[in-house]
Amino acid sequence: MTRSQLIALIKERKSFLCVGLDTDLTKIPAKFLETEDPIFEFNKAIIDATADYCVAYKPNLAFYECHGAKGWESLEKTIAYIGDTHFTIADAKRGDIGNTSSYYAKTFFEVLGCDSVTIAPYMGKDSVEPFLKFDGKWAILLALTSNEGAVDFQFQSIAPGSERLYEKVLKLSQSWGNTGNLMYVVGATRPEMLSSIRQIIPDHFLLVPGVGAQGGSLTEVCKYGLTPDVGLLINASRSIIYAGAQESNFETHVEKAAAELQSEMAQILTERGIC
Amino acid sequence: MTRSQLIALIKERKSFLCVGLDTDLTKIPAKFLETEDPIFEFNKAIIDATADYCVAYKPNLAFYECHGAKGWESLEKTIAYIGDTHFTIADAKRGDIGNTSSYYAKTFFEVLGCDSVTIAPYMGKDSVEPFLKFDGKWAILLALTSNEGAVDFQFQSIAPGSERLYEKVLKLSQSWGNTGNLMYVVGATRPEMLSSIRQIIPDHFLLVPGVGAQGGSLTEVCKYGLTPDVGLLINASRSIIYAGAQESNFETHVEKAAAELQSEMAQILTERGIC
């Protein structure tokens, strides 16, 4: 999916919501456990309940790999079921020497058919570039993550001066790709930093995890991160997919949780005159 | 496999060689392509030819994932075939928020049954710790990698002072684990840096890729990196597994390539009075 197609989709649905498919067999409603492929059947129900309210789905690879080959089959079926009506993000946090990264790019873009994959920047330019060579496909580079450990390295100041590592990542990587094939992960748990981040990358899309279960605020993120082209994909996982997991009509709770976030987003887009 | 078991294995075989299973269908001998599971059959032949000369095997996940669920099956069969006679390394370069890293740890240690997994440090402490909670299992943290892009971030100086990011990773992460559950990746293409690295981590095992096809020198790496407990696992992938791939008796070439490295290692271990 190209940048212009993604922006058109966001404006059409008045939503920049990404639903995270962190599908955990210990948390999904019991009725799915009786099916042949509980992960896929649960995802299918989630997708059916939320498709009108979101523009992207983000399966977290760890939750599929932990079931081995069977988990990969569930993932393949999920990506195929989503089809081309939504932007798909393989949240895989890959990154290796160039030759190896080429195989990861092939895996996620050609074999699985995802639109994008999350990448860890530690190994530098040649570990990221293979992901930037596919038309309409995206690398989503980790910049500032939403977890506690982000302070360990990402916040370290790079000498000389006081530029932080995540700022160095943002600056240096811009020359590797462009606003049509490179996004960044910036956690919602640190919205106040979005203001300075937008000075470095005014136009790139940001994938923002951490709204919902991790405590990030949609309003705060939009205040600092929204651009005239929207420029944000806000991810919510647990707060949507496990809404009402203990209830018999769990799909209604899931739909409600997604619809509420979409409604807030529509209001923000209107207030900002974007659509 | 515990640290003492690993050291005993190295002394018994007089080898600290790790064979990288970067199994690429475009490079393996044609005879395997006719089998039902070419990747596994090729790996089996490689393992049979090299088992006496090495102490570890390191499948590179990208080469398996690019075949989807079928690739994971080949990987599962390969790990099972290796059994407990060798140390197994899932070269996966994972790392995510704590909850997700727990699932990756479960995947590689419990589902696949590997002894260790490579981890990218960018997300900090809580992304690594879940891998340190399994008896006899190891996290192998990227410190200084063998690729060109290593200079982009790993070589950046952290203010104040001139400590580099990879040195910060080495120093800070030591408190997360110990010499019995934490190793580091240090590329053979920069052996002169091993001297200062050994001042920071005198006893930790290092996984050293880059000998062979990438041009690193075994002698140089041992000069600076070897410890009284050996402390090194030297990986060679392409230079062993594709030795003589065009020949009818390719197994003989593979065995010879592994035996030559083992012989050099045995000599170094004797010269240093280790065994």
Side-chain angles (χ1 to χ4, degrees):
Chain A
M1 188 178 291
T2 65
R3 181 179 165 100
S4 59
Q5 287 169 334
L6 176 60
I7 295 168
L9 198 63
I10 290 171
K11 291 184 175 175
E12 179 192 318
R13 295 211 187 118
K14 296 188 193 308
S15 169
F16 41 99
L17 176 62
C18 173
V19 174
L21 299 171
D22 299 13
T23 306
D24 182 339
L25 291 186
T26 67
K27 290 182 181 164
I28 68 176
K31 66 178 178 182
F32 293 106
L33 299 178
E34 295 153 16
T35 66
E36 201 182 319
D37 188 344
I39 292 181
F40 174 63
E41 293 300 333
F42 174 78
N43 286 353
K44 197 163 162 289
I46 294 292
I47 294 161
D48 290 346
T50 59
D52 291 344
Y53 308 103
C54 68
V55 292
Y57 289 104
K58 179 176 75 64
N60 179 330
L61 271 279
F63 291 84
Y64 301 82
E65 291 182 359
C66 74
H67 302 288
K70 188 165 165 48
W72 268 80
E73 278 175 23
S74 305
L75 178 62
E76 287 165 356
K77 286 158 71 179
T78 299
I79 298 296
Y81 188 74
I82 294 167
D84 56 8
T85 59
H86 292 72
F87 187 79
T88 47
I89 301 167
D91 194 1
K93 302 194 171 68
R94 297 299 195 265
D96 208 310
I97 63 171
N99 176 46
T100 300
S101 274
S102 297
Y103 277 86
Y104 280 128
K106 186 181 163 193
T107 300
F108 293 109
F109 297 152
E110 293 185 347
V111 179
L112 270 175
C114 290
D115 292 302
S116 65
V117 55
T118 55
I119 311 289
Y122 191 73
M123 293 182 68
K125 184 177 178 180
D126 61 297
S127 70
V128 178
E129 283 190 331
F131 297 97
L132 301 170
K133 292 180 176 168
F134 294 74
D135 283 346
K137 305 289 184 180
W138 302 68
I140 308 183
L141 200 59
L142 300 186
L144 182 58
T145 58
S146 58
N147 64 319
E148 276 184 30
V151 301
D152 290 331
F153 304 118
Q154 297 164 32
F155 274 37
Q156 293 294 330
S157 296
I158 302 296
S162 59
E163 186 175 87
R164 288 175 161 174
L165 177 61
Y166 75 87
E167 294 172 315
K168 183 83 189 171
V169 168
L170 292 170
K171 286 183 185 172
L172 196 59
S173 62
Q174 278 182 79
S175 64
W176 306 343
N178 56 58
T179 58
N181 64 9
L182 187 59
M183 300 189 187
Y184 295 95
V185 172
V186 176
T189 45
R190 298 180 173 87
E192 69 286 0
M193 291 181 178
L194 277 165
S195 181
S196 63
I197 286 172
R198 275 296 181 215
Q199 288 178 20
I200 305 173
I201 44 162
D203 298 320
H204 284 80
F205 262 86
L206 306 180
L207 171 62
V208 185
V211 163
Q214 291 182 59
S217 152
L218 174 64
T219 313
E220 287 291 295
V221 169
C222 292
K223 181 176 168 187
Y224 300 108
L226 212 65
T227 72
D229 276 344
V230 187
L232 293 175
L233 289 174
I234 306 273
N235 183 75
S237 302
R238 286 169 275 177
S239 64
I240 290 180
I241 70 173
Y242 301 129
Q246 307 308 320
E247 313 291 333
S248 60
N249 59 341
F250 105 103
E251 292 90 342
T252 313
H253 292 268
V254 169
E255 181 174 352
K256 187 163 169 280
E260 280 175 3
L261 274 170
Q262 184 273 329
S263 170
E264 285 183 60
M265 289 176 177
Q267 194 178 338
I268 290 167
L269 291 172
T270 304
E271 283 169 6
R272 295 281 286 262
I274 294 172
C275 66
Chain B
M1 188 179 290
T2 65
R3 181 179 165 99
S4 58
Q5 288 169 333
L6 176 60
I7 295 169
L9 198 62
I10 290 171
K11 291 184 175 175
E12 180 192 317
R13 296 211 185 116
K14 297 189 193 308
S15 169
F16 41 99
L17 176 62
C18 173
V19 174
L21 300 171
D22 298 15
T23 306
D24 183 338
L25 291 187
T26 66
K27 290 183 182 165
I28 68 177
K31 68 177 178 183
F32 294 106
L33 299 177
E34 294 153 16
T35 66
E36 201 181 318
D37 188 343
I39 292 180
F40 173 62
E41 294 300 334
F42 174 78
N43 286 353
K44 197 163 164 287
I46 294 291
I47 293 161
D48 290 345
T50 59
D52 291 344
Y53 308 103
C54 69
V55 292
Y57 288 104
K58 178 177 77 62
N60 179 330
L61 271 279
F63 291 82
Y64 301 82
E65 292 183 359
C66 74
H67 301 288
K70 186 165 166 49
W72 266 81
E73 278 175 22
S74 306
L75 178 63
E76 288 164 357
K77 285 157 72 180
T78 299
I79 298 296
Y81 187 74
I82 295 168
D84 56 9
T85 59
H86 292 72
F87 187 78
T88 47
I89 302 168
D91 195 2
K93 302 197 170 66
R94 299 298 196 265
D96 208 310
I97 63 171
N99 176 46
T100 299
S101 274
S102 297
Y103 278 86
Y104 280 128
K106 186 180 161 192
T107 299
F108 293 108
F109 297 152
E110 293 184 347
V111 178
L112 271 176
C114 290
D115 292 302
S116 65
V117 55
T118 55
I119 310 290
Y122 191 74
M123 293 181 69
K125 185 178 178 180
D126 60 299
S127 70
V128 179
E129 283 191 329
F131 296 97
L132 300 170
K133 293 181 176 167
F134 294 74
D135 284 346
K137 304 289 185 181
W138 303 69
I140 307 182
L141 200 59
L142 300 185
L144 182 58
T145 57
S146 58
N147 64 320
E148 276 183 30
V151 301
D152 290 331
F153 305 119
Q154 297 165 29
F155 274 38
Q156 294 293 330
S157 295
I158 302 296
S162 60
E163 186 175 270
R164 288 174 161 175
L165 177 61
Y166 77 87
E167 295 173 314
K168 183 83 189 171
V169 168
L170 291 171
K171 286 184 185 173
L172 196 59
S173 61
Q174 279 182 78
S175 64
W176 306 343
N178 56 57
T179 58
N181 63 9
L182 187 59
M183 298 188 188
Y184 295 95
V185 172
V186 176
T189 45
R190 297 181 174 84
E192 69 286 0
M193 291 181 178
L194 276 166
S195 181
S196 63
I197 286 172
R198 274 296 179 216
Q199 289 179 19
I200 304 172
I201 45 162
D203 298 321
H204 285 79
F205 261 86
L206 306 180
L207 171 63
V208 184
V211 163
Q214 289 182 62
S217 151
L218 175 63
T219 312
E220 287 290 295
V221 169
C222 290
K223 180 176 170 187
Y224 299 110
L226 211 66
T227 72
D229 276 344
V230 188
L232 294 175
L233 290 174
I234 306 272
N235 183 75
S237 301
R238 286 169 276 175
S239 64
I240 291 180
I241 70 174
Y242 301 128
Q246 307 309 321
E247 313 292 332
S248 60
N249 59 340
F250 105 103
E251 292 90 341
T252 312
H253 292 269
V254 169
E255 181 174 351
K256 186 163 169 278
E260 279 175 3
L261 273 171
Q262 184 272 329
S263 171
E264 284 184 60
M265 289 176 176
Q267 193 179 339
I268 291 168
L269 290 172
T270 303
E271 282 170 6
R272 295 281 287 261
I274 293 171
C275 66

